Amino acid sequence: MTPNVPEKVSLEGLEDKWSARWDADAVYKFNRSVSRAEPGPSGRERGIFSIDTPPPTVSGSLHVGHVFSYTHTDTLARFHRMRGREVFYPMGWDDNGLPTERRVQNYFAVRCDPSLPYEPNFSPTPAAGKKQEQVAISRPNFIELCTRLTAEDEKVFEELWRHLGLSVDWGMTYSTVGERAQRVSQRSFLRLLQKGLAYQAEAPTLWDVDFQTAVAQAELEDRELPGAYHRIRFNGPDGRDIEIDTTRPELLAACVAVVAHPDDARYRPLVGKVATTPLYGVEVPFLTHPLADPEKGTGVAMICTFGDVTDVVWWRELHLPARAMIGRDGRIRQDPPPGVEDAPAWAEVRGKKINAARARVVELLRESGDLLSEPRPITHPVKFYEKGDRPLEIVTSRQWFIRTLDHREELLARGEELRWHPSHMKARYESWVNGLNSDWLVSRQRFFGVPFPLWYRLSDDGSVDYGSPLIPDEARLPVDPSTDVPDGFSEGERDKPGGFTADPDIMDTWGTSSLTPQIAGHWEDDPDLFGRVFPMDVRPQAHEIIRTWLFSTIVRSHFEHDCLPWTDAAISGWVLDPDRKKLSKSKGNASTPLPWIEQYGADGVRYWAASGRPGVDTVFDEGQMKVGRRLAIKILNASKFVLSMAPGELAAAVEFTALDRALLTRLAGVVEEATTSFEGYDYARALERTEAFFWVFCDDYVELVKARAYGGQGPEAAASAHRALGLSLSVLLRLFAPVLPFVAEEVWSWSQERSVHRAPWPSAQEFEGVGESDLAVFATAAEVLADVRKAKTAAQVSMRAEVDRVTVLDTSERIARLRLAEADLKEAGRVTDLVLEEARERSVEIVLAAVNQA
RNA sequence: GGGCGCUUAGCUCAGUUGGUUAGAGCACCGCCCUUACAAGGCGGGGGUCGGGGGUUCGAGUCCCUCAGCGCCCACCA
């Protein structure tokens, strides 16, 4: 094909032009006829490269942080596609869970009340004002709104991703709450249940009093909060006082024991005796436990059910009774815990919020004289649900768990087996697994999510038989137990004595997201496809969700398939604002990416993203985008020149000049390095090496051969330049294509029919005809050219200024190299007389033509 | 409390197995409208590599130690 170079080259409109064309030509369509791994012809890899794409949360908005990490993945996808592999690169939408619920509540000013009946024609308009009264609606109505809103959000997301140039197969999207996801989640759950790896238990768990749901260990975060030590007096045996420091005096009624360290000599006489709580007069045992810290407070702690997770440990390990007093709404319960029924103090706190109860208890203690000192303010870490606003409480509830504690060793071995990029991220996985203190709590008391596909029998007295749940056949999945009926029952028997009742809970968002490989790969629904793409090659994700998404995905795959879900994990860093804070929507420091794409082009934005090292937090840098845009423009211009020189069909018989051989050999090295880097998931290094070469190519090589290419040294010498320029450009465009897909495609299209993104990745073979070369020929010539430029700059004359004579004294070796590029050097520097002489020390003398020395 | 990472020019960062005068881009200064490119090109100034100690013929690059920053984990009365 004869190059068809536009008169004027420009980046304007490339995104629209090429994203439409790629779509029309199905450039990124996954070809599932390829088998998982098959040897390719002549060293090119064949087979499939599958990516476990992170499904972005559609209820949020995309910001530059997303663009950053998704670009990284896309460069890898493009690289492997060019290597000849079919890339399985679906896009998922995470529309599951609380963020969606919250967005729907705010967007439509509604709230879900599961007790309400469905209203078929309910269709609210988006809430206008800020504070609008929330309308209570039924669960089915609420879920309809969730679905409606997420569908709209997905469209916006897809548009942006296309604009950014993600080479996703848009025919293969999935959602984490759609029917497929439900089926996969429920099937996997039922299989865990069969294997005894999922179980139900009534146990104290961390509870968010606002969201009214249990929360798992993985969703916790500590926040430093002001608090106060209150020293209070318990009555000990023999009339002796026991002094105890507590930050939660309001829980006094829930006290079931006091505890000291077994080695604490101060309290040894009291151990095994009984202490009496102030205000309530409840007798509790004085016990010992190694977790009691003699250094903390008075060395004696009161154990309450439950003030914190240590209480839970003590309660469990010391086999204490429960005396729960906090309700699911975060208030003190109405009904008193056992043992305090008759205490007048209970009436003072019942039904109160935590803070009010605390204040009242302190007053009461003060009045009774049991408050031994005024509260001493401290700051201490308090556990929060990561999306929550109030401290977590611990309440006892029935929940589903997946066993992880018993499998820690196996899971650690999986972490060992996985290839981590960067490798030190493995440490985070290990510290998480080693720190597990409970099985994975997978049930949530929410509405929008995947329900547990279970019902329970109701006995004749109406009590629930949790022991043997009613399980649907896998072929029925997905089921919604709140509307579907278990086999052998009828709807009329729902919630009736002798009938059945649905499991009310939904799965944790990670309960579904942990199955993205299975969802995306159509596990069981399409065994042929699943066999081709699973286990996957790579999981790209951010480091802060190693403990959640990465961990839980390994758990599911380990239990279900007895293998890793992928061989490699590519962990991306965060995007930081100039103050080094993580960009996030909630902090309001994250900008929407579209304006940046419009200003610098998708390629410019991608360039910035791809400059961020794998796993390294990177500062948001508009300057880098600007640099990326300039690079793209430079590629346009350089390509325009090269293609106007080089014929479409390269004459293969031409003998390369020494300078051209040196340039091409150097480029072959860059190809090798970029290839190795991409194989090792280091897109940033690949880009850096390619770019560095490209600038040398433009500034030195093109300048050195320009005149020769115009024919200054005859047709044969010109042909060598043409061929070297043409080959270099072809290789460079393909090296740039993963990072700068738009400009690479634009330029490629000037001389090629097919997409650059399906062109073969450059290989050493393409340089086979170059022959032996001395790399230093190019470097040495470029050095002298730089000297000439320097002299012209010093003389404040144009680069086109004539030079009468350049005298180079240098070692015989280097002089020999310069002779090989003598003609190019003379023309590039406009040197009339180039004198090359051997000498011990290098020196360069430049005599500019008199006419130019004004 | 444990762990991981980072600390190189004003800024953002490269420096792969230790080896010639430590690199790039941005910013800054100067020059040049050169037929691929003036939203460009060419050239220049500027760091002794967080502090200290050690190994070595030789260390930004390995070891020890200290400091600061960030993150992950932790049973936080």
PDB file of all heavy atoms in Angstrom, chain A residues 225-239:
ATOM      1  N   LEU A 225     -10.448   8.080  67.967  1.00  0.00           N
ATOM      2  CA  LEU A 225     -11.575   8.835  68.502  1.00  0.00           C
ATOM      3  C   LEU A 225     -11.254   9.271  69.924  1.00  0.00           C
ATOM      4  O   LEU A 225     -10.583   8.547  70.659  1.00  0.00           O
ATOM      5  CB  LEU A 225     -12.816   7.926  68.536  1.00  0.00           C
ATOM      6  CG  LEU A 225     -14.053   8.390  67.794  1.00  0.00           C
ATOM      7  CD1 LEU A 225     -13.742   8.736  66.361  1.00  0.00           C
ATOM      8  CD2 LEU A 225     -15.128   7.312  67.854  1.00  0.00           C
ATOM      9  N   PRO A 226     -11.748  10.427  70.298  1.00  0.00           N
ATOM     10  CA  PRO A 226     -11.572  10.805  71.703  1.00  0.00           C
ATOM     11  C   PRO A 226     -12.439   9.915  72.583  1.00  0.00           C
ATOM     12  O   PRO A 226     -13.544   9.530  72.209  1.00  0.00           O
ATOM     13  CB  PRO A 226     -12.041  12.261  71.760  1.00  0.00           C
ATOM     14  CG  PRO A 226     -12.898  12.434  70.555  1.00  0.00           C
ATOM     15  CD  PRO A 226     -12.419  11.458  69.520  1.00  0.00           C
ATOM     16  N   GLY A 227     -11.913   9.593  73.733  1.00  0.00           N
ATOM     17  CA  GLY A 227     -12.669   8.785  74.688  1.00  0.00           C
ATOM     18  C   GLY A 227     -12.185   9.163  76.074  1.00  0.00           C
ATOM     19  O   GLY A 227     -11.474  10.172  76.214  1.00  0.00           O
ATOM     20  N   ALA A 228     -12.551   8.412  77.064  1.00  0.00           N
ATOM     21  CA  ALA A 228     -12.081   8.756  78.416  1.00  0.00           C
ATOM     22  C   ALA A 228     -12.049   7.500  79.279  1.00  0.00           C
ATOM     23  O   ALA A 228     -12.917   6.636  79.174  1.00  0.00           O
ATOM     24  CB  ALA A 228     -12.988   9.798  79.056  1.00  0.00           C
ATOM     25  N   TYR A 229     -11.018   7.439  80.078  1.00  0.00           N
ATOM     26  CA  TYR A 229     -10.958   6.389  81.092  1.00  0.00           C
ATOM     27  C   TYR A 229     -11.815   6.814  82.281  1.00  0.00           C
ATOM     28  O   TYR A 229     -11.689   7.939  82.763  1.00  0.00           O
ATOM     29  CB  TYR A 229      -9.523   6.217  81.592  1.00  0.00           C
ATOM     30  CG  TYR A 229      -8.713   5.236  80.774  1.00  0.00           C
ATOM     31  CD1 TYR A 229      -7.483   5.607  80.237  1.00  0.00           C
ATOM     32  CD2 TYR A 229      -9.163   3.937  80.575  1.00  0.00           C
ATOM     33  CE1 TYR A 229      -6.725   4.711  79.512  1.00  0.00           C
ATOM     34  CE2 TYR A 229      -8.399   3.028  79.843  1.00  0.00           C
ATOM     35  CZ  TYR A 229      -7.186   3.418  79.313  1.00  0.00           C
ATOM     36  OH  TYR A 229      -6.440   2.536  78.599  1.00  0.00           O
ATOM     37  N   HIS A 230     -12.658   5.916  82.714  1.00  0.00           N
ATOM     38  CA  HIS A 230     -13.433   6.157  83.922  1.00  0.00           C
ATOM     39  C   HIS A 230     -12.980   5.136  84.958  1.00  0.00           C
ATOM     40  O   HIS A 230     -13.058   3.931  84.703  1.00  0.00           O
ATOM     41  CB  HIS A 230     -14.928   5.961  83.650  1.00  0.00           C
ATOM     42  CG  HIS A 230     -15.458   6.829  82.552  1.00  0.00           C
ATOM     43  ND1 HIS A 230     -15.181   6.621  81.227  1.00  0.00           N
ATOM     44  CD2 HIS A 230     -16.257   7.936  82.597  1.00  0.00           C
ATOM     45  CE1 HIS A 230     -15.784   7.543  80.497  1.00  0.00           C
ATOM     46  NE2 HIS A 230     -16.449   8.362  81.303  1.00  0.00           N
ATOM     47  N   ARG A 231     -12.493   5.614  86.088  1.00  0.00           N
ATOM     48  CA  ARG A 231     -12.090   4.652  87.127  1.00  0.00           C
ATOM     49  C   ARG A 231     -13.283   4.423  88.035  1.00  0.00           C
ATOM     50  O   ARG A 231     -13.783   5.361  88.671  1.00  0.00           O
ATOM     51  CB  ARG A 231     -10.896   5.177  87.922  1.00  0.00           C
ATOM     52  CG  ARG A 231     -10.485   4.199  89.027  1.00  0.00           C
ATOM     53  CD  ARG A 231      -9.048   4.354  89.420  1.00  0.00           C
ATOM     54  NE  ARG A 231      -8.149   4.104  88.280  1.00  0.00           N
ATOM     55  CZ  ARG A 231      -6.813   4.093  88.393  1.00  0.00           C
ATOM     56  NH1 ARG A 231      -6.233   4.303  89.565  1.00  0.00           N
ATOM     57  NH2 ARG A 231      -6.069   3.880  87.332  1.00  0.00           N
ATOM     58  N   ILE A 232     -13.735   3.205  88.098  1.00  0.00           N
ATOM     59  CA  ILE A 232     -14.909   2.912  88.910  1.00  0.00           C
ATOM     60  C   ILE A 232     -14.595   1.806  89.910  1.00  0.00           C
ATOM     61  O   ILE A 232     -13.643   1.049  89.744  1.00  0.00           O
ATOM     62  CB  ILE A 232     -16.132   2.539  88.041  1.00  0.00           C
ATOM     63  CG1 ILE A 232     -15.835   1.305  87.194  1.00  0.00           C
ATOM     64  CG2 ILE A 232     -16.515   3.697  87.147  1.00  0.00           C
ATOM     65  CD1 ILE A 232     -17.010   0.931  86.299  1.00  0.00           C
ATOM     66  N   ARG A 233     -15.425   1.766  90.927  1.00  0.00           N
ATOM     67  CA  ARG A 233     -15.179   0.836  92.028  1.00  0.00           C
ATOM     68  C   ARG A 233     -16.145  -0.330  91.975  1.00  0.00           C
ATOM     69  O   ARG A 233     -17.359  -0.146  91.910  1.00  0.00           O
ATOM     70  CB  ARG A 233     -15.328   1.572  93.369  1.00  0.00           C
ATOM     71  CG  ARG A 233     -15.191   0.637  94.579  1.00  0.00           C
ATOM     72  CD  ARG A 233     -15.078   1.408  95.844  1.00  0.00           C
ATOM     73  NE  ARG A 233     -16.271   2.241  96.051  1.00  0.00           N
ATOM     74  CZ  ARG A 233     -16.253   3.344  96.802  1.00  0.00           C
ATOM     75  NH1 ARG A 233     -15.146   3.732  97.399  1.00  0.00           N
ATOM     76  NH2 ARG A 233     -17.360   4.045  96.959  1.00  0.00           N
ATOM     77  N   PHE A 234     -15.561  -1.512  91.982  1.00  0.00           N
ATOM     78  CA  PHE A 234     -16.336  -2.731  92.190  1.00  0.00           C
ATOM     79  C   PHE A 234     -16.113  -3.142  93.645  1.00  0.00           C
ATOM     80  O   PHE A 234     -15.052  -2.876  94.207  1.00  0.00           O
ATOM     81  CB  PHE A 234     -15.844  -3.874  91.292  1.00  0.00           C
ATOM     82  CG  PHE A 234     -16.370  -3.818  89.867  1.00  0.00           C
ATOM     83  CD1 PHE A 234     -16.320  -2.650  89.125  1.00  0.00           C
ATOM     84  CD2 PHE A 234     -16.907  -4.954  89.268  1.00  0.00           C
ATOM     85  CE1 PHE A 234     -16.786  -2.609  87.826  1.00  0.00           C
ATOM     86  CE2 PHE A 234     -17.375  -4.927  87.968  1.00  0.00           C
ATOM     87  CZ  PHE A 234     -17.317  -3.761  87.239  1.00  0.00           C
ATOM     88  N   ASN A 235     -17.084  -3.819  94.199  1.00  0.00           N
ATOM     89  CA  ASN A 235     -16.881  -4.352  95.544  1.00  0.00           C
ATOM     90  C   ASN A 235     -16.232  -5.716  95.450  1.00  0.00           C
ATOM     91  O   ASN A 235     -16.736  -6.609  94.764  1.00  0.00           O
ATOM     92  CB  ASN A 235     -18.207  -4.483  96.282  1.00  0.00           C
ATOM     93  CG  ASN A 235     -18.728  -3.113  96.673  1.00  0.00           C
ATOM     94  OD1 ASN A 235     -17.965  -2.269  97.148  1.00  0.00           O
ATOM     95  ND2 ASN A 235     -20.005  -2.892  96.430  1.00  0.00           N
ATOM     96  N   GLY A 236     -15.104  -5.842  96.136  1.00  0.00           N
ATOM     97  CA  GLY A 236     -14.423  -7.118  96.138  1.00  0.00           C
ATOM     98  C   GLY A 236     -14.828  -7.935  97.345  1.00  0.00           C
ATOM     99  O   GLY A 236     -15.638  -7.484  98.173  1.00  0.00           O
ATOM    100  N   PRO A 237     -14.264  -9.119  97.457  1.00  0.00           N
ATOM    101  CA  PRO A 237     -14.532  -9.934  98.628  1.00  0.00           C
ATOM    102  C   PRO A 237     -13.928  -9.284  99.870  1.00  0.00           C
ATOM    103  O   PRO A 237     -12.989  -8.481  99.759  1.00  0.00           O
ATOM    104  CB  PRO A 237     -13.844 -11.263  98.297  1.00  0.00           C
ATOM    105  CG  PRO A 237     -12.849 -10.942  97.240  1.00  0.00           C
ATOM    106  CD  PRO A 237     -13.371  -9.763  96.492  1.00  0.00           C
ATOM    107  N   ASP A 238     -14.441  -9.585 101.001  1.00  0.00           N
ATOM    108  CA  ASP A 238     -13.937  -9.080 102.279  1.00  0.00           C
ATOM    109  C   ASP A 238     -13.986  -7.567 102.321  1.00  0.00           C
ATOM    110  O   ASP A 238     -13.121  -6.932 102.937  1.00  0.00           O
ATOM    111  CB  ASP A 238     -12.486  -9.543 102.538  1.00  0.00           C
ATOM    112  CG  ASP A 238     -12.334 -11.024 102.227  1.00  0.00           C
ATOM    113  OD1 ASP A 238     -13.285 -11.788 102.514  1.00  0.00           O
ATOM    114  OD2 ASP A 238     -11.287 -11.390 101.641  1.00  0.00           O
ATOM    115  N   GLY A 239     -14.949  -6.996 101.627  1.00  0.00           N
ATOM    116  CA  GLY A 239     -15.111  -5.557 101.688  1.00  0.00           C
ATOM    117  C   GLY A 239     -14.006  -4.769 101.002  1.00  0.00           C
ATOM    118  O   GLY A 239     -13.931  -3.552 101.090  1.00  0.00           O
TER     119      GLY A 239
END
